[in-house]
Amino acid sequence: VQLQASGGGVAQAGGSLRLSCAASGRTFGWYAMGWFRQAPGKEREFVASLNWGGASTFYADSVKGRFTISRHNAKNTMYLQLNSLKPEDSAVYYCAMRSTYSSGFYYNAGAYDYWGQGTQVTVSS
């Protein structure tokens, strides 16, 4: 399984970006997925997750109301819409996918088996 994250870049505070995570090598639609981020000198932290169908989502308090996670199973792609960006959102963003089916979503990194390479998001003030 390969996950390819893209869409990062530089944005001004208050701006928007849309991240994508394309999956290959496995049937995409059966597995929960999530986004995490890691800023320099900090531990990787949970951002958002959704279940296999995308109907159930969960967000970190720091991004709730500003970020939206979604997936398009027919395109084998997950998205993260980042709105109202803040400088503290600057980090490398990673997408992740579980390898076993379940109905729920997960906010702990250990629950995920596959990881993308990360895409850099930089927000200037």
Side-chain angles (χ1 to χ4, degrees):
V1 174
Q2 288 190 330
L3 301 178
Q4 182 72 38
S6 61
V10 179
Q12 290 188 332
S16 298
L17 287 171
R18 190 192 196 200
L19 307 184
S20 298
C21 177
S24 61
R26 192 179 183 101
T27 303
F28 177 81
W30 291 108
Y31 309 108
M33 299 189 70
W35 287 96
F36 292 76
R37 66 186 182 187
Q38 188 168 18
K42 295 186 176 181
E43 294 188 352
R44 188 172 298 190
E45 65 173 1
F46 168 77
V47 176
S49 65
L50 75 175
N51 72 338
W52 68 275
S56 295
T57 58
F58 185 67
Y59 296 91
D61 288 343
S62 58
V63 307
K64 197 174 298 181
R66 301 187 298 120
F67 291 7
T68 302
I69 188 172
S70 62
R71 66 191 297 166
H72 194 306
N73 286 346
K75 294 184 178 181
N76 282 7
T77 304
M78 175 179 66
Y79 306 97
L80 186 68
Q81 179 68 40
L82 291 66
N83 295 331
S84 302
L85 282 163
K86 304 176 181 180
E88 52 264 42
D89 293 322
S90 298
V92 177
Y93 283 69
Y94 298 91
C95 58
M97 187 173 82
R98 283 177 56 83
S99 65
T100 55
Y101 170 78
S102 67
S103 60
F105 48 76
Y106 301 83
Y107 56 83
N108 54 313
Y112 294 90
D113 305 290
Y114 305 113
W115 292 83
Q117 85 290 358
T119 184
Q120 176 72 49
V121 171
T122 303
V123 183
S124 60
S125 57

